[in-house]
Structure formats: C-alpha cells, structure tokens
Amino acid sequence: MAALQWQQVHAWRLSQHGLSPRFSSQDFVQAVTRTAGIQAQVMSAAELALCTRVEGLSPRDVQSALFQDHTLVRTWAMRGTLHLLPASELPLYVAARDWQHSASWSNYFATFDLSRAQQEALLLAIPYVLEQGPLTRLQLAEAVAQHTGAARARDLILSESWGSPLKPSAYRGELCFGPGQGKTATFMNPRTWIGQWQPIEPQLALQEIARRYLWAYGPATAEDFAFWWGIGKTQARKLFQSLAAELAEVEVAGWRAFVLRATLPLMQSIEPAEQIHLLPLFDAYTLGVPRGCEALLAQAHKRKVFNLQGWTFAVILVNGSIQGIWSSTSRRAHTVVKVSLFSPATASIRQGIEIEAERLSLLLGKEIVLEYA
C-alpha cells in the first residue's frame, strides 16, 4: 500500500481544482469539467467559484457561457442540487443518473392523481413546449396543462418552489435554467443547442463519474463518493469494486482511501502548495472532499462550515486545509469581508488573506474592507 503525506494530498486537490495554479480564461470550461460540476444553488456563489479558479474571468463571462455561447448549463444534478455542468457533457451526467430505475418519482407523481400514462404525457410535453424558448414556471405549467389536457399537471408544476416536479425532466436532459426575467427564473430545453445526443450505457457513465470524482477529490472512499453523488453506500462499494483494476489503496497518516492508479505517481511527486484561498458558499472543493478527515477540517469546527440546515459556508483554505470561514456584507461604497479563523492568524496567513481580498475587490468592483473576528 502506497503512503502519502497530507501536504501532497492537499497540493493535488488544489491543482485539480484550478486553485494552484489557476486555469486560464481560454479554457475556463475546464474549471467545471475538472471539478465535476460547480454547485449553483446560489448563482452568485457559483460565479465566484469559477472566477476564483480562472484568471481574468468575470461573472458576466459565466452568464455569457450559459445563455449565449451555451458551453455551460445550469441544471439539477448530483444530490438533486443545482449545478453548472459543461453542456457537451450533459449526456454523461444524464446517463449516470439513470433516474428511471427509481420508483420514488412515479410515487411522487401519483400523489397528484396522475396515472402512469399522464406521467409520461407530462414528461413528453415539457421538452416540447420548451421549444418555444425560455418559459417561466407559470408559463411552463400552463403550456403543459394545455398541451396534455390535464389541469393537474399545472398544479403539480406549481406545487413546489424548490422545483421537485421539474427534476425528472432535468434528469432526462430535457430541462435546464434559462436567463432570468428580473427575479423570475425561466427554463429551457438544453437539447436544442447540444446537437447530436450520444447515448451512454448508465453503468459505464457512472463509472466515468466515479473516475472524475477521484481525479478531483481523491483520495476518497466509496462512502465519500456515495455522499457526493447521492446514491446508497452499497451501490457505491459495488461501483468501486467494478473499477478495482484502476484503483490503488493509499494510506495518509493512518487514513485509508482510494486513488486512481494512474494519478498516484503524480500525487507522490507534486510539490506542496503554500497558498491562501477564500472559497465562496457551497464551493465544490468544500463539498466534495471527504469530510471525516481532521487534516482537512477539524471535527470541532465542522458545524461552523456545514450547518444542520444544509448550508455550506464560505471557507478560508490554508495550503488546502479549511482553517476558517468568511462572510461579506455589501455597502454602498465598499464590501466588508469578515474573517473568522479557527486559530490565531500568522503574519503570512494575514498577508495571503489580503491578497485574496484584493482579487475579490477586482471581481466585485468594490473596495474590500477586512474585519477579523
């Protein structure tokens, strides 16, 4: 069994996430590909997550990629949460989800007295009516009800603001978010701009997703992948077993996990990273790396980063390890960034935070005022 040091693990993950070094603006879609998706429940945080990883990128560039160039798509993906994904790779994520094999959605629809035939009619109607262009939820609901002749379809689509009735269509690759109309969200059919849709066998797709997870977040266990993707632990263990020939078990200060065998030499030879990062809310790095490792996040501070309501706070990375949290408050002339470190800050850490604050100032177009808790 190969042995790794935590500084090697941290340096590997930072490099894979475009945090050290950052990606260039010419290939910024790689920042989404290499992290296996950027969570986008809070769109401003998703924009900041990308800008943190890409030199010279602005939030406006992210919006252009979504709604003009169509190189990115915002849709429901792993764990049933909103993510930014490369549009060209949406077929991979759709195949890996293989949502039809879960009876829960059919049961969910049945609570609205929709028969199996009406359920299928609903799912077929959504991409059809979205060919009209971006529709608000209300417009979509009314168009589907008119097309299917089922008034209950309208009630279903409007029943939850979180979007649960629309998730099956997203999982089929037939619905994603469109440009907002003020504060109102719109929906589109991503297949209209992806072009030829290449079907992928679901098991092969899920294996590829597991590889990408290990490439970005490894070393990790099958249980870590299960939590990240949103499947059962037994299924995840069987998945890792199916990849046994490609995996290598490693030990990091007594903790055992798996890496892709092909990446092990790179992990062993990578130079340690000496860098401070301010990562936004719900950042992919924070969400994806194994949560049970003291070297990444001391358990005494876990609830400061992940609260019981499902919120993931903005964190301060010190050489790849979570060593604090931060928050921002926008004023008319400046933005206050409040820093709360888990231990007293050294001069080098303060200097690194100041460098990150300067970068944040350029992104937000406002002066940053730092406050230490």
Side-chain angles (χ1 to χ4, degrees), residues 158-202:
L158 297 176
S159 63
E160 291 188 30
S161 60
W162 284 102
S164 293
L166 302 178
K167 287 183 180 181
S169 295
Y171 297 157
R172 288 160 63 105
E174 296 171 346
L175 177 144
C176 70
F177 276 71
Q181 295 182 4
K183 293 184 178 181
T184 303
T186 69
F187 303 95
M188 302 173 66
N189 183 353
R191 293 187 184 232
T192 59
W193 68 70
I194 290 178
Q196 187 174 4
W197 189 279
Q198 294 292 340
I200 307 170
E201 198 280 320

Side-chain angles (χ1 to χ4, degrees), residues 353-367:
I353 290 173
E354 289 172 3
I355 292 172
E356 281 286 273
E358 289 179 13
R359 196 169 189 277
L360 192 60
S361 175
L362 293 174
L363 289 175
L364 300 180
K366 279 189 175 184
E367 177 190 359

Side-chain angles (χ1 to χ4, degrees), residues 8 27 39 82 84 95 142 179 234 258 288 302 310 318 340 357:
Q8 294 171 314
D27 58 358
Q39 186 157 324
L82 287 173
L84 299 183
E142 292 178 340
T234 300
F258 293 97
K302 184 176 180 179
V318 178
S340 180

Side-chain angles (χ1 to χ4, degrees), residues 81-94:
T81 56
L82 287 173
H83 278 75
L84 299 183
L85 301 174
S88 62
E89 295 191 335
L90 185 58
L92 172 68
Y93 284 84
V94 168

Side-chain angles (χ1 to χ4, degrees), residues 46-242:
E47 293 169 350
L48 187 54
L50 278 175
C51 294
T52 299
R53 289 165 166 80
V54 181
E55 290 291 357
L57 193 72
S58 71
R60 183 176 299 175
D61 296 325
V62 180
Q63 293 293 322
S64 295
L66 283 165
F67 306 125
Q68 295 177 24
D69 304 330
H70 301 310
T71 51
L72 296 179
V73 60
R74 184 185 182 215
T75 189
W76 285 285
M78 43 279 203
R79 305 183 303 280
T81 56
L82 287 173
H83 278 75
L84 299 183
L85 301 174
S88 62
E89 295 191 335
L90 185 58
L92 172 68
Y93 284 84
V94 168
R97 184 88 195 186
D98 196 22
W99 78 280
Q100 295 94 330
H101 287 173
S102 171
S104 61
W105 286 109
S106 182
N107 296 336
Y108 173 79
F109 286 149
T111 62
F112 287 84
D113 296 326
L114 292 176
S115 67
R116 287 296 182 96
Q118 289 174 321
Q119 294 173 28
E120 188 59 29
L122 168 70
L123 293 173
L124 291 174
I126 286 176
Y128 176 80
V129 301
L130 285 176
E131 291 180 4
Q132 304 174 33
L135 298 178
T136 66
R137 186 189 299 269
L138 178 59
Q139 291 168 340
L140 175 62
E142 292 178 340
V144 168
Q146 181 177 2
H147 182 77
T148 61
R152 292 189 186 92
R154 180 185 186 278
D155 298 336
L156 171 66
I157 292 173
L158 297 176
S159 63
E160 291 188 30
S161 60
W162 284 102
S164 293
L166 302 178
K167 287 183 180 181
S169 295
Y171 297 157
R172 288 160 63 105
E174 296 171 346
L175 177 144
C176 70
F177 276 71
Q181 295 182 4
K183 293 184 178 181
T184 303
T186 69
F187 303 95
M188 302 173 66
N189 183 353
R191 293 187 184 232
T192 59
W193 68 70
I194 290 178
Q196 187 174 4
W197 189 279
Q198 294 292 340
I200 307 170
E201 198 280 320
Q203 180 64 15
L204 295 179
L206 190 56
Q207 287 178 332
E208 178 59 22
I209 294 293
R211 293 186 190 99
R212 297 198 180 194
Y213 173 76
L214 288 172
W215 194 274
Y217 302 97
T221 65
E223 290 76 13
D224 295 323
F225 175 78
F227 181 83
W228 175 82
W229 182 248
I231 58 174
K233 293 180 181 179
T234 300
Q235 183 183 358
R237 293 190 194 104
K238 290 180 179 179
L239 176 65
F240 272 45
Q241 289 169 4
S242 73

Side-chain angles (χ1 to χ4, degrees), residues 19 29 105 124 190 194 230-231 258 262 281 283 287 294 339 343 354:
L19 294 171
V29 174
W105 286 109
L124 291 174
I194 290 178
I231 58 174
F258 293 97
L281 299 167
D283 191 81
L287 287 164
E294 285 282 323
V339 173
S343 57
E354 289 172 3

